[in-house]
Amino acid sequence: MGHVYQTWNTSVKRLVAGFILSFFLLFLMYGLVTYNLFSGFTLCFVMMTIAFLQAAVQLFCFLHLGSEKSPFWNTVLFVFMLAIMLIVVVGSIWIMYNLDYHMMMKN
Amino acid sequence: MSGAHQEDYEKTLFGFWVYLITDFMLFGSLIAVYIVLDTNTFGGPSAKDLFNIPFALIQSLLMLSVAFASGMGSLKAHERNLRSTLSYFLIAAFISSVFLVRIFQEFGHVQSLGFSWKDSGFLSAYYSLNGIFGLHVILGLIWTVLCLIFVYIKGFHDVSLKRISCLKMFWQFLNIVWVFVFAIVYLLGVC
């Protein structure tokens, strides 16, 4: 009955560290937009970098993504999903943008 | 004996992780649709006119707190600490219901301005994305309440721990999705 089932070492420290880091990154994103530090494509790029960084922090600190035993199936699966979603999301945006461009009326 | 339990526990958690991966893909597709239809406002309002960034920031902080409380709750559950587990998950349930109410408040705000999801591609994509996110929160809330009742009655054994771990993973997954919704819909929308 006293058997601990966790397959990773959770600790309060990791959770709190994840919380503080995410908190800071959230305010960083908010500050970038509110104080207009970047604009246009640079803003998109910086914002997405911070968003992915925050997702990584949460995956590692809260969901313990890299901390499983040797075959690391959880991480492998997640990376595979990222690859597919990159194709789907970036592909959709690219194709639809292209479609928009070619369907525009040429004055 | 404990080896079989351990394997069962790990298999269940991995299976739930596979489900969360497919759910990531669901939200990824919805976000892709939103990005494509972002500027299709058909003469109606755009993101700049509708969205309030401090509102979204507070939503993000609420969601982050839910994820943290769930993590703490799961930690306490593995230490077999009933009171702490119940407290943390009840806090998570309360905060996520506040989050849910605010999502509906935002829908109500858009509707009070006279616009609905039928008015443009942008509005349709926005309502779909936030609506399905809200649906996930509702289901998570129902699941949390049921799970806590089960743990309270049956105590901590294999099934309880599996369910609590899966519940924790669910709230933390929703938080990660919300990070992207916050960045793409609210922050980049208003710029």
Side-chain angles (χ1 to χ4, degrees):
Chain A
M1 254 309 258
H3 190 102
V4 175
Y5 290 114
Q6 290 181 162
T7 55
W8 50 78
N9 285 321
T10 310
S11 68
V12 180
K13 257 199 305 184
R14 204 189 241 197
L15 286 176
V16 171
F19 182 77
I20 293 177
L21 267 175
S22 302
F23 192 84
F24 166 71
L25 287 171
L26 272 176
F27 273 93
L28 187 66
M29 285 203 285
Y30 173 75
L32 277 179
V33 165
T34 314
Y35 296 106
N36 287 319
L37 292 174
F38 303 100
S39 65
F41 186 67
T42 324
L43 179 67
C44 276
F45 183 71
V46 173
M47 199 63 71
M48 289 317 293
T49 312
I50 301 180
F52 272 103
L53 198 62
Q54 185 169 358
V57 162
Q58 294 192 352
L59 282 165
F60 178 70
C61 291
F62 288 170
L63 282 165
H64 305 280
L65 190 56
S67 315
E68 62 268 21
K69 293 187 318 236
S70 178
F72 300 112
W73 286 122
N74 291 24
T75 316
V76 168
L77 195 60
F78 185 77
V79 173
F80 176 66
M81 182 272 292
L82 269 186
I84 298 219
M85 287 321 291
L86 217 64
I87 295 173
V88 167
V89 176
V90 173
S92 299
I93 298 174
W94 183 14
I95 290 178
M96 294 309 287
Y97 175 77
N98 231 283
L99 184 72
D100 255 350
Y101 177 81
H102 286 290
M103 297 286 273
M104 262 198 307
M105 295 214 296
K106 308 253 189 325
N107 292 336
Chain B
M1 177 70 163
S2 58
H5 283 298
Q6 179 72 18
E7 211 182 282
D8 187 41
Y9 175 85
E10 286 177 23
K11 272 196 287 188
T12 303
L13 255 61
F14 181 70
F16 193 73
W17 178 244
V18 175
Y19 154 68
L20 287 181
I21 295 287
T22 65
D23 227 359
F24 270 123
M25 296 180 83
L26 174 78
F27 278 109
S29 319
L30 283 170
I31 288 182
V33 168
Y34 177 84
I35 294 175
V36 166
L37 293 177
D38 195 0
T39 49
N40 291 26
T41 53
F42 198 53
S46 73
K48 280 198 193 46
D49 308 321
L50 294 176
F51 300 149
N52 176 12
I53 294 188
F55 171 87
L57 178 67
I58 294 183
Q59 294 286 71
S60 306
L61 292 173
L62 288 175
M63 216 49 219
L64 181 63
S65 311
V66 170
F68 178 70
S70 306
M72 288 300 291
S74 172
L75 187 68
K76 296 298 176 187
H78 282 279
E79 293 170 1
R80 306 294 202 280
N81 185 341
L82 183 61
R83 249 189 71 179
S84 289
T85 306
L86 291 178
S87 312
Y88 276 115
F89 275 106
L90 277 173
I91 290 174
F94 174 70
I95 298 180
S96 60
S97 51
V98 171
F99 177 93
L100 191 64
V101 163
R102 288 167 58 91
I103 285 216
F104 285 126
Q105 275 179 348
E106 191 176 39
F107 282 169
H109 166 68
V110 173
Q111 253 163 334
S112 72
L113 292 174
F115 306 113
S116 87
W117 58 86
K118 301 178 236 168
D119 289 342
S120 69
F122 155 71
L123 281 168
S124 179
Y126 159 73
Y127 267 90
S128 302
L129 181 56
N130 274 31
I132 292 192
F133 192 88
L135 193 62
H136 276 76
V137 175
I138 292 174
L139 293 174
L141 264 172
I142 297 175
W143 180 15
T144 307
V145 169
L146 292 176
C147 190
L148 290 180
I149 293 176
F150 182 82
V151 169
Y152 184 69
I153 294 177
K154 297 275 186 145
F156 290 116
H157 56 81
D158 315 347
V159 180
S160 308
L161 288 181
K162 275 195 293 189
R163 290 181 183 180
I164 288 195
S165 296
C166 290
L167 182 58
K168 169 204 85 145
M169 287 166 75
F170 185 74
W171 284 122
Q172 292 170 346
F173 149 78
L174 276 183
N175 189 19
I176 293 177
V177 172
W178 181 262
V179 167
F180 288 101
V181 172
F182 176 51
I184 294 173
V185 174
Y186 294 96
L187 291 182
L188 290 178
V190 178
C191 280

